[in-house]
Amino acid sequence: MSTTEAPTRQLDFIREIVEEDLRTGRHSTVITRFPPEPNGYLHIGHAKSICLNFGIAQEYGGQCNLRFDDTNPTKEEAEYAEAIKRDVAWVGFDWGKNLYHASDYFEQLYRWAEDLIRAGKAYVDSLSAEEIRELRGTLTEPGKESPYRYRSVEENLDLFRRMRGGEFGDGAHVLRAKIDMASPNVNMRDPVLYRIRHETHHRTGDAWCIYPMYDYAHPLSDAIERVTHSLCTLEFEDHRPLYDWLIEHVPVPARPHQYEFARLNLNYTVMSKRKLLRLVEEGHVRGWDDPRIPTIAGLRRRGYTPAAIRSFCDRVGVAKRENVIDVALLEFSIREDLNLHANRVMGVLRPLRVVIENYPEEKSESFDVPNNPEDPDAGTRQVPFSRVIYIESDDFMEEPPKKFFRLAPGREVRLRSAYFITCTSAVKNDAGEIVELRATYDPSTRGGDAADGRKPKATLHWVSARHALDCEVRLYDRLFRSENPEESGDFLADLNPDSLEVVPQAKLEPSVRGAAPFTRFQFERLGYFCVDPDSSAARIVFNRTATLKDTFTRRA
RNA sequence: UGGGGAGUCGCCAAGUGGUAAGGCAUCGGUCUUUGGAGCCGACAUUCGGUGGUUCGAAUCCACCCUCCCCAGCCA
């Protein structure tokens, strides 16, 4: 009997920590959280965090909270929060009843701030923002203490309460932690905990005019929710000492720990909320769900599946080193999924008429065509055929080069699932452009096989002209020309002018009629396409999700 | 020239002192009623560099180099 190797799954460093904590009993259950700020749409980088946080909760039988980090009313909107919930659910995760908001904790957070004041660990500073900045020192020089640093507890309490009461204007005072103005870590130089903002909050309305800073609200919110592993990106590493300081100096009910991992970057695109916002607001793309941007909404509209996004996130890994993932990996993930699950259909993007001269004028017949060769259970459909068909203009060349196996004068090819045809001539217009092909078919090849065993070197997709459905097809290319659009300084200058090409009159086989928005197909030999919500009963609009690899084109 | 991180194949990423996993990309071949998919194969004598410890180092030590982050009353 052979010893079966225990297939020790390769864990990323965070899962290793989680397992260790579970094994040693530091925690008996794992609680994570996904903490978006509702100030923009989620993108593929957030998907990585979602998959990590919810994935860990799932794998270890724990829980993952969806918590909105809504501590800054000037930037946040309910509309964004709704979009975020929709996107998280769509990616495939369920927070159940664990939907929270940092704003739910404002009262508790406030009380703890008073506790800090009473403990002499926080004080009201009345310096201006500029003065605070000046006294903070620099990266190499220590800061200086504020003249207000040693106010009495009573005065601090009084001032802080009056801040809450609305007695002061924005910026008049802030609450600061009393830590160490000489700390080499600037985050520890008496960080601001609360600021005054007379602003209506999308959830608490006008109940508050002081709002906690992220650095204050986050660790305490984690503790309130009994989060065990608080996962964030690398730029917060410097904030961990402050996170820990607060957990230590506030009487919180639990001891969460923060761990940092590298955020996801993708080449040929931009990922920061600020840049995505500019693309949307300045009209460089059609909206937050434009299929060319890496927002979850954009990817969804482009035709990506939640499963593809999840497998992509799995493949990308979790580590601490900066990374730029090749967008080809994202494309691979969607092709892999759609190859198995998308039904095939024939559609011609650039139609070239072909008249099959020996096929009767009035006749038409239909072929039983498999919906998905990768999945026999997908069944078949009827595809009509008649004397005049369209083929892809790229599939014909009057003078074919060496490796071109498709149609050419005198050459025989197979029409997928139909007949073999032989091109007899090309009809040109006055400008010398080919406008139509003449051909003959071999009736004995019905279905696409020849009794004599001859095998054409090419199989073409086609659509019966008489039965074709006119559709709009939107072809997308990368939004930016360079791998790193931000490198040059002005990412907008790097926009690809050809990122969207609209084909207004593509010819599709009639079976796609009535397909609902977001239905995905493979157009044989062309790529994967998804019905866009812009579609109407009169006309379907398709988005190209990804191309199929074309080795002839690639070599050419 | 303060502090915090990181450097393993073109892009990711395992590896935790015993002689460099895997994925994507790429390149061959095979198969094919999608030039798709699939299948088979190739792809780091070497782990930022230099010394050292050791029978043995990507893994330990020392020094050096490079890159990223931090001076919002943003998150």
Side-chain angles (χ1 to χ4, degrees):
Chain A
M1 209 179 128
S2 66
T3 46
T4 18
E5 295 273 321
T8 36
R9 187 156 78 93
Q10 255 165 45
L11 301 176
D12 55 72
F13 79 100
I14 291 176
R15 274 176 250 251
E16 257 170 28
I17 291 167
V18 169
E19 288 205 352
E20 172 77 4
D21 288 349
L22 255 18
R23 191 175 58 244
T24 60
R26 168 135 98 159
H27 299 292
S28 54
T29 181
V30 52
I31 302 179
T32 56
R33 101 271 89 115
F34 173 62
E37 181 188 15
N39 70 341
Y41 276 62
L42 261 27
H43 53 64
I44 186 72
H46 293 107
K48 173 177 177 177
S49 176
I50 290 167
C51 291
L52 214 214
N53 281 292
F54 281 94
I56 285 176
Q58 222 162 56
E59 290 156 33
Y60 297 98
Q63 160 189 329
C64 178
N65 303 340
L66 174 58
R67 180 173 78 231
F68 285 101
D69 241 326
D70 54 351
T71 57
N72 185 355
T74 60
K75 291 163 58 181
E76 298 153 6
E77 293 170 25
E79 182 216 323
Y80 288 130
E82 288 313 306
I84 288 168
K85 283 191 259 182
R86 184 174 65 236
D87 289 346
V88 172
W90 181 77
V91 169
F93 295 99
D94 179 12
W95 53 87
K97 54 188 191 334
N98 302 305
L99 172 64
Y100 305 111
H101 301 79
S103 56
D104 293 339
Y105 313 135
F106 281 173
E107 187 60 42
Q108 175 66 264
L109 263 20
Y110 173 84
R111 284 198 216 113
W112 278 334
E114 284 202 354
D115 288 344
L116 281 174
I117 292 172
R118 275 185 284 266
K121 298 289 184 190
Y123 63 97
V124 172
D125 197 350
S126 307
L127 254 23
S128 68
E130 300 72 56
E131 291 167 321
I132 287 180
R133 187 182 345 110
E134 279 161 23
L135 291 186
R136 186 148 33 222
T138 69
L139 295 180
T140 50
E141 298 158 339
K144 296 188 182 72
E145 296 182 346
S146 164
Y148 301 102
R149 197 174 198 255
Y150 295 99
R151 287 214 255 229
S152 69
V153 167
E154 293 66 36
E155 187 182 4
N156 280 322
L157 235 27
D158 174 62
L159 249 17
F160 189 49
R161 286 169 182 165
R162 287 161 63 198
M163 280 168 65
R164 174 179 184 170
E167 284 188 39
F168 310 113
D170 290 4
H173 308 280
V174 291
L175 183 73
R176 288 231 252 170
K178 190 187 287 184
I179 305 180
D180 177 11
M181 288 308 292
S183 172
N185 180 346
V186 292
N187 293 118
M188 298 299 272
R189 320 238 261 230
D190 290 10
V192 172
L193 268 22
Y194 269 90
R195 75 292 214 183
I196 300 171
R197 280 261 219 277
H198 289 272
E199 195 94 33
T200 302
H201 185 280
H202 74 279
R203 293 193 74 252
T204 60
D206 296 315
W208 295 87
C209 64
I210 57 172
Y211 292 93
M213 299 288 290
Y214 164 88
D215 278 328
Y216 178 73
H218 205 89
L220 303 184
S221 300
D222 283 344
I224 289 169
E225 294 176 14
R226 296 178 176 278
V227 164
T228 54
H229 303 263
S230 183
L231 314 178
C232 62
T233 43
L234 257 25
E235 67 270 28
F236 292 101
E237 259 173 328
D238 287 344
H239 297 240
R240 187 165 9 109
L242 177 52
Y243 185 104
D244 291 338
W245 186 93
L246 282 159
I247 293 299
E248 189 181 328
H249 294 279
V250 172
V252 291
R255 228 259 86 140
H257 289 267
Q258 172 182 301
Y259 302 95
E260 311 85 13
F261 63 94
R263 66 171 351 115
L264 170 69
N265 296 292
L266 259 191
N267 58 12
Y268 295 103
T269 192
V270 293
M271 204 77 98
S272 83
K273 277 189 188 176
R274 206 200 102 247
K275 292 193 177 75
L276 290 171
L277 182 66
R278 269 194 80 185
L279 289 173
V280 172
E281 285 190 335
E282 294 177 16
H284 299 107
V285 297
R286 294 179 172 188
W288 283 106
D289 63 348
D290 189 296
R292 291 168 294 181
I293 55 177
T295 50
I296 304 289
L299 292 165
R300 175 170 55 230
R301 191 166 178 182
R302 175 86 173 234
Y304 274 75
T305 59
I309 287 174
R310 282 185 254 114
S311 76
F312 170 73
C313 291
D314 281 348
R315 259 185 272 258
V316 143
V318 179
K320 295 198 73 150
R321 68 179 84 89
E322 300 283 350
N323 60 83
V324 181
I325 306 297
D326 192 334
V327 69
L329 184 63
L330 219 209
E331 290 170 354
F332 169 82
S333 301
I334 188 58
R335 285 193 187 103
E336 178 189 48
D337 185 13
L338 261 19
N339 176 47
L340 260 24
H341 304 298
N343 279 169
R344 267 117 253 228
V345 106
M346 288 193 284
V348 174
L349 261 28
R350 275 120 192 154
L352 174 59
R353 257 171 78 90
V354 179
V355 179
I356 301 164
E357 295 184 301
N358 61 339
Y359 194 91
E361 198 87 48
E362 299 311 318
K363 184 178 175 182
S364 98
E365 62 188 307
S366 67
F367 298 101
D368 199 34
V369 179
N371 285 326
N372 187 348
E374 305 290 331
D375 176 14
D377 294 338
T380 61
R381 69 188 184 287
Q382 292 297 116
V383 181
F385 184 84
S386 61
R387 186 172 198 259
V388 181
I389 61 167
Y390 293 112
I391 65 165
E392 207 66 59
S393 13
D394 284 354
D395 284 339
F396 174 81
M397 277 187 120
E398 196 170 20
E399 289 166 26
K402 210 130 183 80
K403 298 280 197 175
F404 187 85
F405 304 134
R406 283 109 98 147
L407 202 58
R411 186 181 287 177
E412 181 176 65
V413 297
R414 174 191 293 118
L415 293 180
R416 166 126 246 227
S417 299
Y419 293 108
F420 291 3
I421 59 167
T422 303
C423 175
T424 50
S425 65
V427 181
K428 296 182 182 176
N429 62 14
D430 294 342
E433 298 157 342
I434 295 164
V435 294
E436 183 180 293
L437 260 30
R438 297 275 154 171
T440 57
Y441 83 114
D442 177 352
S444 74
T445 56
R446 189 172 201 284
D449 273 314
D452 63 8
R454 69 188 200 278
K455 290 190 182 299
K457 296 199 82 169
T459 298
L460 309 188
H461 59 279
W462 53 274
V463 173
S464 164
R466 207 196 313 164
H467 308 273
L469 218 58
D470 279 1
C471 297
E472 174 178 328
V473 178
R474 299 173 182 167
L475 305 178
Y476 300 103
D477 196 356
R478 33 184 66 129
L479 224 208
F480 295 94
R481 290 182 287 204
S482 16
E483 278 197 41
N484 179 5
E486 8 224 310
E487 203 168 44
S488 63
D490 179 14
F491 74 107
L492 293 176
D494 193 48
L495 279 164
N496 173 9
D498 305 316
S499 62
L500 168 62
E501 180 189 352
V502 177
V503 175
Q505 298 271 302
K507 303 292 185 181
L508 270 289
E509 65 168 69
S511 72
V512 301
R513 193 191 310 275
F518 299 105
T519 306
R520 305 174 187 92
F521 295 100
Q522 181 195 104
F523 290 4
E524 289 215 29
R525 301 210 304 135
L526 295 178
Y528 297 97
F529 294 78
C530 179
V531 179
D532 189 89
D534 281 351
S535 301
S536 64
R539 154 182 264 222
I540 303 183
V541 176
F542 285 99
N543 291 315
R544 184 172 66 195
T545 309
T547 57
L548 234 34
K549 291 177 187 172
D550 178 340
T551 44
F552 172 74
T553 307
R554 242 188 334 163
R555 278 165 226 250

